[in-house]
Amino acid sequence: MAPGVPDRDGLPKLYKSVIEDVIEGVRELFAEEGLEEQVLKDLKQLWETKVMQSKATEGFFRHSHHTPQFTLQLPHNFHRVLQASAASLVIPTGRGFQHFTAADLGASRMGATLTLPSGIAYPIHVPAGVTLQTASGHLYKVNVPVMVTQAPGDASVLHHPVQQIFQSLGQPSVLQANIASAAQVNASSAPAAAETLQPQETAVQQTMVFQPNVMEKKHLESSANTTLVQQPSVSQQQLATNAVLNQHADATEKSQHSNLYTAVFTPESSEGFSPAESLANDSSSVLLDVEGQLDVEPQESVQQQVSDDIIDLIITGKSLDEYAVLKVQDSISFSDKMEPTEQMESNLQSEKDICSDIEGIIQLDGTGDVSPKEEIPHTKDREENESIGIIESEDLKVLEDEEDDDEECDSISNTESSSSGGDNEEPQIDIVEEDPLNSGDDVSEQDTPDLFDTDNVIVCQYEKIHRSKNKWKFYLKDGVMSFEGKDHVFAKAIGDAE
Amino acid sequence: MAYQLYRNTTLGNSLQESLDELIQSQQITPQLALQVLLQFDKAINSALAQRVRNRVNFRGSLNTYRFCDNVWTFVLNDVEFREVTELVKVDKVKIVACDGKSKYGI
């Protein structure tokens, strides 16, 4: 390749030469394998097709059979023109004539469908009354003269003089420009229907950018070849779309989280008695079992999954209790999640009732002076949002009074201290708790985005990498760059960064 | 053996996809596909070394750097790539660079 050849023209040639070299190089290999020449041709065809479709190289192929970027459907009055010009149609432009190969001249009275090769030079002036059809199947009827120009992003942009729209037609239905607005997704009409383009007066300026949001949203997977209009702001739209989707996702997540929290909260009441079980005698274990039954049954199976988390929440201390309180409060703040909390309330009450009953059983020595009922209503008076730890400690105190067991006292105090930061339960509790607590401390690593395919990547070799303090110098060579899908190559690259 | 570095390019990925399709349809063996890729490595390395002549300058801010197994990986932000003919600006770019000094594979 001559040194003076511009990269834009040289890149497709370079790629083609590489493809040719590789195919020739493996021809013998294929022959040795006993494979037919056709397989090799298939490989080459597949390879070239993919490279073309990736739009990494501009104008990789200039054949007419190349997939057109869009087709023009001309109205009836242009039919004659098409016929007159035989196989070519001339559309007057502001700068000159653009010749197109008419794929179907006599298609219908409504007009002809033109297939525009990708190699056409922009801008194109599209007269009024033209229906534009993208390769994806969407039809856009243009009632006003539009100019189709080529945006830097290798896409065509429709610019139409708005003034003409309003002056010449005065019709309500004219070109519609869907400026990046995710809400426009819903506004999209049924596919395959000829859509009338209407202007958005608010967003209209000197030149309007026509953006087929409909097409974008519906054919996100379509290749760039099908895009009729400008894509520079597509990313904006996609961002908006993503934002909308994320919002939905977030809402979903929130609801899921609320599910989690509410599910967490109810088992807490049951789990609140688990230490009691470990502390007290079998009667309290009976309590726990009953409570477990009461609590678990009305709940969903999700609880089971989070039961460990619940234990963690309960046991790991006051700050964590507050955290749990906050979580519970958050969960309760969701109005649609009140049902589990109501169940939890009923559970608590039933627990306390049973607690009183069992305390009667536990109280063998008769030393318990404090009636559990006195305490339980006290806890009942408290908001449900208050930590289960408190309730737990209350019940444990009751048990303590009744049992008057040193072990229990110790264990209860342990539990109480655990409710304020102990660790007598599984060590997993702390670990599970710390993750949500300290998760906000980390600066986002951005490792995951590095793995994205859409990342702009340079693959090259380094001659020298130099650093002084925080100033880096890069001396690179023989590189292939990909920016926003477009490819470049370099023999040498020198860069600076800080 | 040439660097397999360039397999993760448009050209390389499209080749790998095509080979995968042929393997799926049982037209070629995976071993043959590997040979094709090796041939591709040679071709792209020599093409870049001999047929490309342009220079590029760039400037940006360094986000991360990594040097492992003699491979540098950088992530730069707000980078401007300047060529004689054009200027390209990107918000983020990842640079993967193998050792160009060693004669191994070139």
Side-chain angles (χ1 to χ4, degrees):
Chain A
M1 208 165 74
V5 175
D7 189 47
R8 189 163 288 232
D9 289 338
L11 191 62
K13 282 190 188 160
L14 175 73
Y15 280 9
K16 276 192 185 171
S17 69
V18 170
I19 293 177
E20 295 289 341
D21 287 347
V22 173
I23 296 297
E24 289 304 314
V26 298
R27 195 178 293 271
E28 282 191 16
L29 282 173
F30 273 58
E32 284 174 9
E33 290 279 320
L35 294 170
E36 295 177 354
E37 185 76 11
Q38 185 59 32
V39 181
L40 190 64
K41 286 204 173 102
D42 287 344
L43 173 64
K44 182 174 183 188
Q45 195 59 36
L46 281 170
W47 193 3
E48 286 175 343
T49 306
K50 286 187 198 295
V51 176
M52 272 167 19
Q53 285 174 351
S54 72
K55 78 161 178 162
T57 62
E58 222 173 303
F60 194 75
F61 276 129
R62 296 181 184 272
H63 303 303
S64 59
H65 67 265
H66 179 50
T67 306
Q69 291 199 351
F70 58 89
T71 59
L72 284 181
Q73 280 189 348
L74 299 184
H76 177 60
N77 55 352
F78 278 86
H79 195 61
R80 292 183 205 163
V81 177
L82 294 175
Q83 285 180 340
S85 60
S88 68
L89 172 71
V90 175
I91 295 181
T93 68
R95 298 189 188 181
F97 291 109
Q98 303 292 337
H99 295 265
F100 309 101
T101 304
D104 185 8
L105 285 178
S108 64
R109 296 196 61 191
M110 289 303 297
T113 301
L114 293 182
T115 298
L116 296 178
S118 65
I120 54 175
Y122 293 102
I124 303 167
H125 182 252
V126 182
V130 172
T131 300
L132 304 178
Q133 179 184 18
T134 65
S136 61
H138 278 85
L139 297 175
Y140 300 97
K141 183 173 181 183
V142 178
N143 288 334
V144 294
V146 295
M147 286 271 287
V148 180
T149 62
Q150 188 171 13
D154 190 21
S156 55
V157 179
L158 281 181
H159 296 276
H160 55 271
V162 177
Q163 315 300 337
Q164 289 185 10
I165 294 176
F166 295 113
Q167 290 174 3
S168 62
L169 297 181
Q171 293 175 1
S173 61
V174 222
L175 281 173
Q176 175 180 15
N178 290 326
I179 312 297
S181 161
Q184 294 295 334
V185 177
N186 299 327
S188 61
S189 58
E195 298 173 359
T196 306
L197 308 174
Q198 300 176 357
Q200 278 189 353
E201 300 176 359
T202 57
V204 163
Q205 290 179 2
Q206 196 63 23
T207 59
M208 271 165 56
V209 174
F210 173 71
Q211 302 169 356
N213 275 3
V214 173
M215 183 182 68
E216 285 297 328
K217 300 306 184 288
K218 290 186 179 177
H219 299 275
L220 284 175
E221 68 282 2
S222 63
S223 66
N225 290 336
T226 66
T227 57
L228 166 63
V229 293
Q230 181 174 3
Q231 287 194 2
S233 59
V234 162
S235 60
Q236 216 177 19
Q237 299 172 12
Q238 288 178 353
L239 282 175
T241 309
N242 290 334
V244 172
L245 292 175
N246 287 335
Q247 288 170 5
H248 289 305
D250 290 339
T252 310
E253 287 176 2
K254 282 181 184 172
S255 61
Q256 289 175 358
H257 278 303
S258 62
N259 281 327
L260 180 69
Y261 292 150
T262 53
V264 165
F265 186 68
T266 312
E268 277 180 357
S269 56
S270 66
E271 291 301 336
F273 291 90
S274 61
E277 178 183 5
S278 64
L279 298 171
N281 50 21
D282 295 337
S283 58
S284 56
S285 69
V286 172
L287 170 70
L288 175 64
D289 292 338
V290 176
E291 296 308 322
Q293 290 177 3
L294 285 177
D295 295 333
V296 174
E297 282 175 0
Q299 297 301 323
E300 296 177 358
S301 60
V302 178
Q303 285 185 8
Q304 304 302 328
Q305 301 171 0
V306 301
S307 59
D308 289 338
D309 294 333
I310 295 149
I311 300 174
D312 306 336
L313 288 172
I314 296 168
I315 302 301
T316 42
K318 259 191 184 177
S319 61
L320 296 173
D321 284 339
E322 293 169 2
Y323 182 71
V325 170
L326 292 175
K327 286 170 80 170
V328 169
Q329 284 174 345
D330 290 339
S331 69
I332 296 216
S333 64
F334 288 104
S335 58
D336 56 345
K337 301 302 171 186
M338 285 306 294
E339 295 179 356
T341 59
E342 291 172 358
Q343 288 177 350
M344 179 267 310
E345 292 175 1
S346 64
N347 289 333
L348 283 175
Q349 292 181 358
S350 58
E351 289 170 0
K352 287 150 191 165
D353 295 335
I354 294 177
C355 178
S356 62
D357 294 335
I358 292 184
E359 284 168 356
I361 300 173
I362 295 173
Q363 190 169 358
L364 301 175
D365 297 334
T367 57
D369 296 332
V370 178
S371 168
K373 291 182 182 177
E374 294 176 357
E375 306 247 353
I376 289 171
H378 180 54
T379 59
K380 277 183 188 175
D381 291 339
R382 297 183 188 179
E383 292 181 359
E384 294 297 345
N385 294 343
E386 295 198 355
S387 69
I388 299 297
I390 299 175
I391 301 171
E392 163 196 0
S393 59
E394 291 289 345
D395 295 329
L396 292 172
K397 278 181 188 169
V398 170
L399 295 172
E400 176 185 10
D401 294 334
E402 295 172 350
E403 292 293 323
D404 201 12
D405 188 287
D406 291 338
E407 211 171 343
E408 279 183 354
C409 290
D410 294 337
S411 54
I412 289 170
S413 63
N414 286 336
T415 308
E416 288 175 347
S417 64
S418 74
S419 66
S420 62
D423 54 352
N424 56 348
E425 285 293 336
E426 304 161 359
Q428 292 174 359
I429 298 166
D430 292 331
I431 296 172
V432 172
E433 269 307 312
E434 284 176 0
D435 280 344
L437 281 183
N438 294 339
S439 60
D441 295 341
D442 293 330
V443 178
S444 61
E445 294 180 351
Q446 296 180 347
D447 275 345
T448 313
D450 285 346
L451 302 176
F452 284 177
D453 286 333
T454 54
D455 207 4
N456 306 311
V457 183
I458 301 179
V459 189
C460 59
Q461 300 174 28
Y462 62 88
E463 287 182 329
K464 187 174 170 59
I465 305 291
H466 175 78
R467 178 194 66 84
S468 276
K469 297 244 170 99
N470 70 331
K471 301 219 185 315
W472 291 73
K473 288 199 198 312
F474 312 98
Y475 298 90
L476 310 172
K477 72 173 189 179
D478 296 342
V480 180
M481 311 189 281
S482 169
F483 300 137
E484 310 293 340
K486 280 193 60 183
D487 276 10
H488 305 78
V489 290
F490 62 83
K492 282 200 189 304
I494 300 177
D496 297 292
E498 297 186 8
Chain B
M1 232 172 75
Y3 281 130
Q4 301 182 2
L5 177 70
Y6 300 100
R7 293 190 188 181
N8 189 25
T9 58
T10 310
L11 207 56
N13 282 324
S14 51
L15 177 60
Q16 294 191 68
E17 287 170 14
S18 309
L19 288 170
D20 284 340
E21 285 182 21
L22 290 182
I23 293 175
Q24 288 291 331
S25 62
Q26 309 252 343
Q27 286 180 282
I28 61 173
T29 65
Q31 181 63 24
L32 183 61
L34 189 61
Q35 297 292 327
V36 175
L37 285 172
L38 290 175
Q39 183 66 30
F40 168 77
D41 295 332
K42 285 187 213 165
I44 189 72
N45 272 283
S46 71
L48 285 175
Q50 294 165 9
R51 297 198 204 135
V52 182
R53 285 281 176 263
N54 58 326
R55 287 175 70 120
V56 170
N57 288 306
F58 62 95
R59 177 175 297 275
S61 52
L62 186 64
N63 185 318
T64 62
Y65 60 89
R66 177 188 301 150
F67 184 61
C68 182
D69 293 335
N70 277 323
V71 177
W72 276 104
T73 306
F74 303 101
V75 176
L76 274 63
N77 291 122
D78 301 325
V79 198
E80 272 187 16
F81 288 88
R82 207 172 288 270
E83 205 173 347
V84 177
T85 50
E86 57 186 319
L87 171 70
V88 182
K89 292 190 187 179
V90 289
D91 290 339
K92 184 168 80 159
V93 65
K94 178 161 80 165
I95 301 180
V96 181
C98 287
D99 193 351
K101 296 185 288 279
S102 121
K103 294 295 180 183
Y104 180 68
I106 295 188

